[in-house]
Amino acid sequence: MPDRGGGPTGPRMRVGRPSRRVRTLLMTLGVLAVLGMAFTMFAGFWTDWLWYRSVNYSSVFTTTLWTKIGLFFVFGLLMALAVGFNIWLAHRLRPPLSAMSMEQQNLDRYRMGIAPYKKWLLLGITSLVGLIAGASASSQWRTWLMWVNGVSFGEKDPQFKLDISFYTFDLPWYRFLLGFGFAAAILSVIAAALTHYLYGGLRITSPGARATAAATGHLSVLLGIFVTLKAVAYWLDRYGLAVKSSDFKATDNWTGLRYVDANAYLPAKTILFCIAVICAVLFFATLWRRTWQLPVIGFGLMVLSAILIGGLYPAIVQKFQVQPNEQAKEAPYVEKNLKATREAYGIDDANVTEYAGTSTTTDKTKLRDDVDTTASIRVVDPNIVSPTFQQLQQMRNYYAFPTNLDVDRYTKDGKDQDTVIGLRELNLAGIPKNNWINDHFRYTHGYGVVAAKGTAADSEGRPVFTESDLPSQGDLGMYQQRVYYGEKTTEYSIVGGPQKEIDYSDDSGEKTFSYTGKSGVNLSNPINRAAYAVAFSEPQILYSGAIGEGSRILYNRTPKERVEAVAPWLTIDGDAYPAVVDGKIQWIVDAYTTTNGYPYSSRTTLGDTTADSLTATNNSRAVVAQQNQVNYIRNSVKATVDAYTGQVKLYQWDTEDPVLKTWMKAFPGTVKAKTEISDSLMAHLRYPQDLFKVQRELLSRYHVKDATTFLSGSEVWQVPDDPTNTSGDAVPPYYLSMKMPDQKAQAFSLTTTFTPNGRDQLSAFMSVDAEAGTSDYGKIRILKLPTNTSVQGPKQVQSQFNSEQDIAETISLLNRGDSKVEYGNLLTVPLDGGLLYVEPVYVRGGGLKYPLLRKVLVTYGGNTAFEDTLDEALNKVFGAEGTTTPPEDDGGDTTNPPPTSGNPTVQEALNDAQKAFEAGQEALKKGDWEAYGVAQKDLEEALQRAEDAQAKEDKTSAKPSTGPSASPSPSGSPSSSPSSSPSG
């Protein structure tokens, strides 16, 4: 044939298929990509296994892994089989080909198109749904383990008389199974219907019957299974009413049956269950009747019943039976909720006693003496003084203290001392030069504990350190001071290899160190190095010469991370704190077991309930919650993390908690017995803050025990906002050694206050005995103030402080220039029927970058004092002022200089004293506290020189001394010192 294309007549160019070399290259790249993805997945798995093995909790990893794998394959396979079988059955039941309608002709093209790939398509669809179902099921590993290992609570719910374990361990698993069944039934119906339609079993536009008998029977059985599952759901919903959340009487997340639930919803669910069973039978009957008429009628009846019986009828009952007489109708159910909520949160034994709020004692001397025996008042605020610790004890820029320090107890001379404590942790932002070697090899750890008395400050307003310097020394004795694990240690480090670490620096220079602990994962193995290079996206780990024999990689280094990793079934408290125990620094971590399936107990949101003015500015103090909403909580585990080795130990604390017992069955050997807690560790355990905050929030409503009062809302309290700042967040609870009215001696306690809902006066004071190992540990005491009197609350006390003219003028003076006043914790102490408020006042300013304690505010019985020290303020409030109160500063009046002397040495010293005095007054006006302190030291030194010189002259002349030692100093005191802080 002639060429009609109009183009060249030469040979055609071959297009499309690449050359062998290109195909080989593409195949190689594809294989490498697959291998790379596989190794990336392997690296994540392998590094996790290595880490768990390094902390001796490999059983947690394997138990969790095998549980997830088992659930994945079992439920993935079940879903794949269910969908695949119904696709296969629908295909097998397809009708024989007959006269083709237009609809069938159009479908025939699709049938022909997929015919060669039917098996692969079936395999692909079933694999996809299986993978999705398996992945969803594997996430339910906690639900499975709790169901299979659940232990009895030994208590029954008041409605159905079932053990509480049914609701906490069984019902969640049954609901998962039900949800899985619904998903399998729905997917099977869809897959079967599409297959029947594709092969002619179902017809939409074709004339004649819309479905073949085989398709009708098949789909009817699947719909019957779906309706059967709905019947099971109605039956389980009956029990679900006991843990159903609802809003009731302005109480969010009320849980349990109310009148309408017990008398309308419960019988409605039973009726709907029966209707659903009948409807399911009608669907199954189509196997013989081959008609959908009856099942469709039955299904319509079920839907109508759900609307009328399950929706309209309860609304009528609520409107016409409950609302006209709500208190009488709801009271029995409210009592059940009160009892269950108090038990679930461990507040059922809270002791509420009446408290006058005002003192009737007229002997002020006795009251002043009672203060010292009632409380060891802490004037060093751990949430304020961190910058002071930083400035005075940081020593090197690559060390840092946490934003909020901790309060603990240490014994000295046989007496417990409230102590503010912090660790000198590693601060990578402060190292001289950031690079990979410095960040991960040379600067690897912090060094030492810094501790100070909680009840005293020195003459310049600084903490009185009981453990300080570098290396740290003081009252704590010898201990391993290196801190490889801490709250600020978030980067990985590679230690123990060829590269030496910076240990610490002193006058002789830098000291080096090589880690000798057994913590971390060994990197000598090239496979391990490659896995960590991929896991951390850092290729240098693979080939760096700084890694060699003995190198170990440390990561997951914060105490909360480590405890959460080894016990993923625990909820971790937001505040881990350090303690020196048996020659080691141990982080102590409180952990909780929780559930949201405790019948009748109201739910709370942990993230909201545990928030306060400290968590608002410090995310590290936020609770780490596995289940954000809970209605049962126990501080069931006390955990420790060694700051040097990273070793994690879990101790059973609540020996009666069924949830902990369940998890201990699931992970045997991971939690040590309570009896293994040493006495030295027990001395530092305390009641956890987050649990206390949850309990105080619940007690603001659930301190009442009768339904009538609860329903009236007249006794609702609230946690006041923190009056010391403008954040608008709740006041945090405070640790304090104090004595409640029914106690004979002081006990380390955690305290808070309550105010009436919407008002600022005080309604109650709450404390819990936080001293672990004592018989009263965990005992909650609430002092309830009379409702007919107005006792000042924290906000009102703070307003009174700020409104008194003398105090306001002094605050204004302290706030001059670059200075800034910072209010410390406002402590409340019950004292002889009244309430003593104490608040330290700090000043940060001038050349200082850290706050110093300058004043103490005290009020009691309407009397207020604002003095340099706590003793002075207490003496003034109780009218016991004496020699302990230093004379007022003369405000810088230089018209009365010190007397002159005929002795030139004395006169020279007095002139120096005058200069120092003037310099101090000038610094005072500028608010430069550092310069003021220096001037006061110079003044004291000059006066001492004058006194020594005069004494020498008197001795020589044998005349009575009339020298400067008897003369008033420029500050009005013979031995003025920096402790004479300005008072205005």
Side-chain angles (χ1 to χ4, degrees), residues 859-916:
T859 185
Y860 182 81
N863 297 323
T864 301
F866 186 51
E867 301 299 323
D868 295 343
T869 66
L870 175 62
D871 283 339
E872 293 171 19
L874 291 171
N875 289 340
K876 184 173 181 180
V877 163
F878 294 106
E881 290 184 280
T883 57
T884 58
T885 304
E888 295 284 338
D889 194 280
D890 66 7
D893 184 2
T894 60
T895 59
N896 296 309
T900 60
S901 172
N903 186 326
T905 305
V906 174
Q907 187 59 51
E908 180 182 0
L910 289 176
N911 290 339
D912 291 343
Q914 181 64 32
K915 291 177 182 178

Side-chain angles (χ1 to χ4, degrees), residues 709-726:
T709 306
F710 185 88
L711 285 167
S712 71
S714 60
E715 290 289 333
V716 175
W717 301 336
Q718 66 182 12
V719 179
D721 293 341
D722 192 340
T724 65
N725 57 58
T726 59

